[in-house]
Amino acid sequence: AKRKLGTAPLLQLCLRDLVVKYAEVFPEPHEDPDLHEELTAGGYRCALVCPGPNAEELQTEDGGAEDASGEAAPGRTLIFIDGR
């Protein structure tokens, strides 16, 4: 029998503030404005995490955790697609 290898259960054990949404497709902003507002709350920027041959390594833009004003830079909202 084939075993499911979804990442959602592992992420639930490893990440705090994890929000799991189940859907057939990722909703457009007009379809789920509350979700899209939650994704960018606090100035967070979204990043789709998807392994593959052309994947880029996640890094801060300047190698540090502060913006130009010396303030802590906003974090990122990571989006994982977990095909089950």
Side-chain angles (χ1 to χ4, degrees), residues 8-75:
L10 179 60
L11 291 173
Q12 289 173 313
L13 294 172
C14 298
L15 298 175
R16 58 187 156 89
D17 299 328
L18 179 70
V19 175
V20 178
K21 300 283 185 181
Y22 294 96
E24 290 295 317
V25 297
F26 195 84
E28 295 292 332
H30 69 276
E31 295 171 326
D32 194 342
D34 292 338
L35 171 63
H36 284 268
E37 186 175 314
E38 184 179 2
L39 293 173
T40 58
Y44 275 48
R45 296 179 306 147
C46 294
L48 176 63
V49 179
C50 183
N54 297 322
E56 296 178 23
E57 191 173 323
L58 289 177
Q59 300 178 11
T60 57
E61 291 175 12
D62 64 353
E66 296 181 349
D67 65 15
S69 69
E71 302 269 327

Side-chain angles (χ1 to χ4, degrees), residues 66-81:
E66 296 181 349
D67 65 15
S69 69
E71 302 269 327
R76 290 201 178 159
T77 297
L78 303 178
I79 301 172
F80 294 87
I81 305 298

